[in-house]
Amino acid sequence: MPGSGKNAQPIAFINARLIDPETRYDGPGSLVVQGGVIADVVKKPSLGKLSDDIRVVDCNGAMLAPGLVDIRVKTGEPGAEQKETLKSACRAAAAGGVTSIVIQPDTDPAVDDPATVDFILRRARDIELVHVYCAGAATQKLGGERMAEIGLMLEAGARYITDVDKPIVDSKVFSRVLSYAKGFGALVAHRPADPWLSAGAVATAGEFASRMGLPSAPIVAERIMLERDLALAEITGARLLVDQITCADALESLERGRKKGVDVSASASINHLSFNELDIGDYRTFCRLDPPLRSEDDRQALIDALSSGLVQVVTSAHAPAPAEDKRLPFDEAAPGAVGLETLLAGLLSLHHEGRVALADLIRAATYAPAQLLGLPGGRVAPGAPADLVLCDIGAPFVLDADTLISKSKNSPFDGRRLQGVVLMTLAGGRIVYKAAE
Amino acid sequence: MTKLVGIDDVRARTFAFPARHFISVSDLNRLQVHDLLALSETFVALNRQQAKKLDLLKGLTLMNLFFENSTRTQSSFELAGKRLGADVVNMNPRASSMAKGETLIDTAVTLNAMHPDLLVVRHASSGAAALLAQKVSGSVVNAGDGQHEHPTQALLDALAIKQAFGRVEGLTVAICGDVAHSRVARSNVIMLSMLGANVRLVGPPTLIPGSAHRWGVEVYHDMRRGIAGADVVMMLRLQLERMQGALVPSSREYFRFYGLDREKLAAAAPHVRVMHPGPMNRGVEIDSDVADDLNVSLIQNQVEMGVAVRMAVLATLAARLEGAN
């Protein structure tokens, strides 16, 4: 992993706006990083007298928080390295203040056996930037028919089980996947989308899609599948993660399921929290997403759900697609958006708009996902890994997608005014990114 | 032990067996099981002699009616019948009129007209033996009906355990593998619980019925924990077609987590004995190293006990038959 922070010079961060997502603390703070871990934390601007061998970083009131934990990151490795490699994804993550990423298994070949899990983790080990984890497929070749080697993949290091964008249509298969994974205590993520209603759809059914003449699916496509998933999670007692919940309708189902005692959590992508269907505008393919962008009412409901804790996790849903896959008619363009470098700024927008408390936003991209998957990051406490991001959350900028480090530049934030510049990123005590002075 | 010469000796040794048929372990009570086990033990001794033949069933006709393939159970019943002096007929319904579309009941009526006294039935459908029992005038012995029961297997397993440990009561028996599709498991849960053993079921959640925790057993999905301290580990056969992603991802994954090898077996009691109803999938549910270790494996004993137990069942049913000898 991000190697040799253990022997590096100790660093003290003083005078920071410290976010402790575990306790939702948001206030003055200082901490010391030593031997790859956080050695000391105080909720005061200074640490008092420090010994001379410690390097001191005066944060000047910038936000110091755990590095982000992004549990839904796609790369093109193996199989489509022109889109993104593990290395380019790690560099993008470091620049975005993301210190742990969970690679999705929909590669070519798919991560559906222990050897491929091992391949990803070995490749990542040599990169020595951010922490790289991976998820394993639920079914062989993501085909939705035969269970993949869930137990062996978990043993090899897979952190959760998912067929990513492909819903498992056959209820018996999904029920068995849930049941089998439960035997290992594993989390199963499932993207709720009725495959028949959403076949061919690139937009959400409604006035906008009909005016634009885009093939669309009704939002109930999400609720229908979610209701099934909740029912199966209930009878099997398995741990379910609703992957990319997007609409008010589905949030109601989620709330009911939670009240019934189903072991269910939910994630939202930063895209569905930041954009609505109108952002598609004049057929901007960077806004061609899967699930498609929803109405503003749905976006607002999703933000409320994040604020209330109904939705616990926010991801970048990083899905690199090069120009040749995006420079196409809207309905032929590849779905998805890159997001590692804009996740933090996107979250901060919700803070600047006064919609969600800063500590809650950071929690949803650090402590909450780390706890869900049992990852060590996402905390600022003595002994926790020194995975940190230092960010000037007020600094404005206009995103120019061409400046992104990611190999693919398909960002819907392109041209958007954002606030929040990452000054420094540490992973395992090592500085893995530092902004130009 | 008194010598068994005629069927009256069987009558004298046991409580009157109330049922005409032998369909399910749940029809039996603890006393009857102890009687059957005691009687079986005399047959174990007999079977080890050179002269194995008795004529307790002389004049009676035993018909083996196996709708499903079976080698060991069918030959075990055949030997049991022959050693007790019955006339044994093996019907092969798959190659006969059943294959031409005759219903089970029609077959039963036809066979009944031949007046078999003992009808041993195996069928792929749960409840088939009970259905047949309603239509024939002889005694029906269930040799396995679908995923329901296999009562003589449970009896022979109990006997093998008793012979190895001197008792069944108080022992911890872990039944591992495909419980959901196993009639052996269902019969054994009832039988071993009745005899006072602590029964555990071990397997992936896809192979353990959701309501199994209400069977009066402990359910484990982690094999090492499930067999920890167990006196007996009973492995079940897993059909290969269930291991290609349907219920289990692959046979290598199954072996890794639920196959019995030395490493996992080390969690059991030091004196642990291993059982398997056969036929085994070596390298899938059981490692050859364990299966072939005579200090550990009771698998050969199970086969031996099978004949004795079936002799006891047949003799007990015959003792009840009107006008037998």
Side-chain angles (χ1 to χ4, degrees), chain B residues 58-70:
Chain B
K58 193 172 181 185
L60 298 184
T61 305
L62 168 70
M63 205 176 260
N64 268 333
L65 187 59
F66 278 63
F67 293 90
E68 268 189 340
N69 279 324
S70 159

Side-chain angles (χ1 to χ4, degrees), chain A residues 65-402:
Chain A
L68 304 190
V69 177
D70 189 349
I71 67 169
R72 197 187 207 279
V73 175
K74 295 189 194 188
T75 76
E77 188 173 347
E81 284 81 356
Q82 76 282 7
K83 294 182 184 175
E84 191 89 285
T85 59
L86 287 166
K87 187 162 191 176
S88 66
C90 285
R91 290 180 57 225
V98 176
T99 53
S100 296
I101 58 177
V102 183
I103 303 296
Q104 299 299 288
D106 56 344
T107 45
D108 181 18
V111 184
D112 64 355
D113 66 6
T116 320
V117 171
D118 199 52
F119 169 80
I120 302 264
L121 298 181
R122 274 170 198 272
R123 294 282 293 185
R125 211 168 295 149
D126 298 335
I127 297 169
E128 297 201 332
L129 274 169
V130 301
H131 306 282
V132 177
Y133 304 98
C134 84
T139 61
Q140 293 171 22
K141 300 187 192 320
L142 308 171
E145 285 170 5
R146 294 174 174 280
M147 235 192 288
E149 291 178 319
I150 291 171
L152 293 175
M153 286 191 291
L154 291 168
E155 208 173 48
R159 290 295 169 154
Y160 67 96
I161 299 303
T162 178
D163 269 1
V164 203
D165 297 327
K166 294 180 91 179
I168 298 173
V169 181
D170 187 324
S171 303
K172 194 155 197 166
V173 172
F174 189 55
S175 149
R176 285 169 173 172
V177 165
L178 285 171
S179 182
Y180 190 77
K182 184 187 181 249
F184 296 95
L187 180 76
V188 178
H190 192 250
R191 153 87 196 285
D194 180 281
W196 293 283
L197 283 173
S198 23
V202 297
T204 303
E207 196 195 336
F208 177 77
S210 59
R211 274 177 199 273
M212 302 293 282
L214 290 173
S216 62
I219 50 168
V220 291
E222 182 169 319
R223 189 181 89 200
I224 289 169
M225 192 57 108
L226 177 58
E227 290 284 357
R228 181 205 74 166
D229 293 354
L230 290 166
L232 293 177
E234 185 182 354
I235 59 161
T236 55
R239 293 173 63 211
L240 174 68
L241 171 65
V242 182
D243 178 41
Q244 300 203 74
I245 197 161
T246 63
C247 59
D249 216 25
L251 288 164
E252 275 176 36
S253 303
L254 175 67
E255 191 163 19
R256 260 199 316 279
R258 177 87 45 78
K259 277 191 182 135
K260 257 184 125 176
V262 180
D263 191 350
V264 58
S265 35
S267 71
S269 86
I270 190 63
N271 301 320
H272 293 93
L273 287 162
S274 307
F275 303 97
N276 67 33
E277 58 189 351
L278 301 179
D279 288 298
I280 292 171
D282 196 15
Y283 303 102
R284 280 184 77 212
T285 57
F286 283 0
C287 288
R288 156 98 172 87
L289 303 176
D290 183 26
L293 288 171
R294 306 304 194 192
S295 71
E296 179 61 10
D297 286 348
D298 284 323
R299 186 179 83 97
Q300 291 299 331
L302 194 58
I303 296 171
D304 289 341
L306 176 63
S307 185
S308 73
L310 180 62
V311 168
Q312 301 92 334
V313 175
V314 177
T315 73
S316 71
H318 186 79
E324 62 268 27
D325 294 343
K326 281 290 190 185
R327 219 171 279 150
L328 290 167
F330 192 83
D331 60 350
E332 291 174 22
V338 291
L340 283 167
E341 291 162 79
T342 46
L343 174 57
L344 183 53
L347 286 168
L348 290 171
S349 293
L350 299 173
H351 161 65
H352 293 307
E353 289 161 13
R355 293 302 316 274
V356 186
L358 183 58
D360 289 341
L361 285 168
I362 298 299
R363 184 183 170 97
T366 55
Y367 182 73
Q371 288 294 301
L372 193 63
L373 302 187
L375 304 179
R379 296 158 59 230
V380 281
D387 298 344
L388 295 164
V389 56
L390 182 65
C391 175
D392 181 352
I393 63 170
F397 66 100
V398 176
L399 184 85
D400 175 1
D402 287 337

